[in-house]
């Protein structure tokens, strides 16, 4: 039986493409994890992720075989799983004349759209969205449900990671990615289970259809103050990570 008929009822919200939820929107094309390794500046990092062939368990801290060297800034319940569109690589490579491969910049999940629907990217996913990876059971365990709680903020490790593969001095790519708002997003784990490549991906809840990551980046990067009535709905999103609310609060135009 398909997940469309077995998933529990959700809210009355529908996706922007005017289909009822749950909606089969993509296929999980690859699952990646990384090990902490010696990195630039005499530090450790697990930013370089490699595809895994076997199913992997996911709990509230993330993928069981994934590591984070800097637990202060990476990993944890509000950064448990990272997904990024593969199109981000094409944008970086075209802009800076590079050949950075998918997986180099730390994402755990990549997907491919199905049924003529748009790809999962910052313009089509929203804060609060819950996605289910797989039908009800995957390898005898529950399918994973993940909720978007924040975009990823690029850090200097993107520059150092890419810089390892180029002899010439590179510009601040991390800053450019941040200005474009194309670094993907972090999930909080709503339901633990198993992940494996080629699983169907379902959008099961969209409580805040106005809250695309693209719009969040636009507001956060705005050099101008913004009317309070445009910011306040974002501040009311319970699952939005608090540091983003702090940024938005400071953008409110003073009366």
């Amino acid at each position: 039986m398909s997940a469309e008929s077995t998933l529990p009822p959700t809210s009355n919200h529908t996706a922007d493409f005017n289909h009822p939820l749950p909606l089969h929107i993509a296929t999980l094309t690859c699952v990646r994890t990384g090990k902490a390794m010696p990195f630039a500046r005499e530090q450790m990092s697990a930013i370089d992720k490699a595809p895994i062939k076997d199913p992997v368990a996911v709990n509230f801290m993330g993928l069981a075989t994934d590591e984070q060297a800097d637990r202060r800034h990476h990993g944890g319940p509000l950064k448990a799983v990272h997904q990024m569109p593969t199109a981000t690589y094409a944008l970086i490579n075209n802009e800076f004349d590079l050949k950075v491969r998918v997986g180099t910049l730390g994402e755990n999940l990549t997907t491919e759209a199905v049924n003529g629907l748009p790809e999962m990217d910052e313009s089509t996913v929203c804060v609060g969205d819950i996605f289910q990876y797989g039908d009800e059971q995957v390898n005898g365990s529950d399918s994973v449900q993940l909720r978007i709680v924040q975009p990823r903020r690029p850090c200097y490790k993107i520059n150092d990671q890419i810089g390892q593969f180029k002899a010439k001095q590179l510009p601040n790519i991390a800053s450019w990615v941040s200005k474009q708002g194309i670094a993907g997003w972090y999930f909080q784990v709503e339901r633990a289970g198993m992940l494996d490549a080629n699983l169907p991906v379902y959008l099961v809840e969209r409580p805040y259809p106005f809250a695309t990551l693209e719009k969040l980046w636009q507001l956060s990067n705005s050099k101008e103050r913004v009317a309070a009535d445009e910011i306040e709905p974002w501040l009311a999103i319970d699952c939005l990570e608090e540091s983003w609310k702090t940024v938005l609060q400071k953008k409110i135009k003073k009366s």
Side-chain angles (χ1 to χ4, degrees):
M1 186 177 293
S2 70
E4 283 91 344
S5 59
T6 59
L7 286 171
T10 60
S11 67
N12 292 326
H13 290 298
T14 57
D16 293 339
F17 12 77
N18 297 319
H19 292 277
L21 305 184
L23 178 65
H24 182 195
I25 63 167
T27 297
L28 180 60
T29 54
C30 191
V31 180
R32 293 178 171 84
T33 63
K35 297 292 184 183
M37 303 287 288
F39 192 62
R41 310 187 194 196
E42 299 182 352
Q43 296 189 18
M44 301 286 286
S45 178
I47 189 173
D48 200 2
K49 307 294 186 186
I52 57 175
K53 297 179 180 179
D54 298 322
V56 60
V58 180
N59 61 33
F60 76 101
M61 293 294 286
L63 282 69
T65 57
D66 198 32
E67 293 183 0
Q68 295 83 34
D70 178 5
R71 298 307 295 266
R72 180 181 176 186
H73 298 103
H74 302 285
L78 299 182
K79 296 180 179 179
V81 180
H82 176 227
Q83 182 168 330
M84 188 169 74
T86 56
T88 296
Y89 287 93
L91 294 170
I92 292 173
N93 289 337
N94 290 338
E95 179 70 18
F96 298 101
D97 189 27
L98 297 170
K99 294 181 180 180
V100 184
R101 61 170 175 77
V102 175
T104 300
L105 302 182
E107 70 277 10
N108 298 117
L109 309 180
T110 52
T111 60
E112 184 175 290
V114 298
N115 300 327
L117 297 172
E119 296 287 351
M120 293 175 70
D121 64 23
E122 290 81 2
S123 70
T124 62
V125 302
C126 302
V127 176
D129 282 358
I130 296 181
F131 296 92
Q132 179 168 304
Y133 293 74
D135 294 320
E136 286 305 285
Q137 292 285 311
V138 178
N139 297 296
S141 298
D142 287 337
S143 55
V144 172
Q145 288 192 353
L146 306 175
R147 183 191 294 272
I148 295 178
V149 293
Q150 60 179 315
R152 176 194 181 183
R153 287 188 177 98
C155 70
Y156 73 90
K157 288 187 177 179
I158 284 182
N159 295 331
D160 288 352
Q161 172 74 334
I162 296 175
Q164 294 182 90
F165 308 110
K166 295 292 289 186
K168 66 179 182 180
Q169 183 69 31
L170 290 173
N172 190 337
I173 296 175
S175 176
W176 181 83
V177 169
S178 182
K179 290 176 182 177
Q180 302 300 312
I182 55 172
W185 51 89
Y186 285 116
F187 289 112
Q188 178 178 331
V189 177
E190 291 290 308
R191 187 169 77 190
M194 300 293 293
L195 278 178
D196 198 3
N198 300 315
L199 292 176
V201 181
Y202 301 92
L203 174 61
V204 297
E205 289 189 25
R206 174 158 286 183
Y208 308 106
F210 68 90
T212 67
L213 299 190
E214 180 179 62
K215 182 62 176 178
L216 178 53
W217 274 112
Q218 288 172 356
L219 292 172
S220 299
N221 288 333
S222 174
K223 295 182 179 179
E224 306 294 332
R225 296 278 182 158
V226 181
D229 60 359
E230 189 169 356
I231 297 293
E232 287 169 353
W234 292 86
L235 303 182
I237 299 177
D238 290 341
C239 63
L240 178 60
E241 194 271 334
E242 285 298 322
S243 68
W244 288 90
K245 292 184 179 182
T246 300
V247 171
L248 293 176
Q249 185 79 48
K250 293 177 181 179
K251 298 292 182 180
I252 296 178
K253 186 182 299 183
K254 296 180 181 179
S255 56

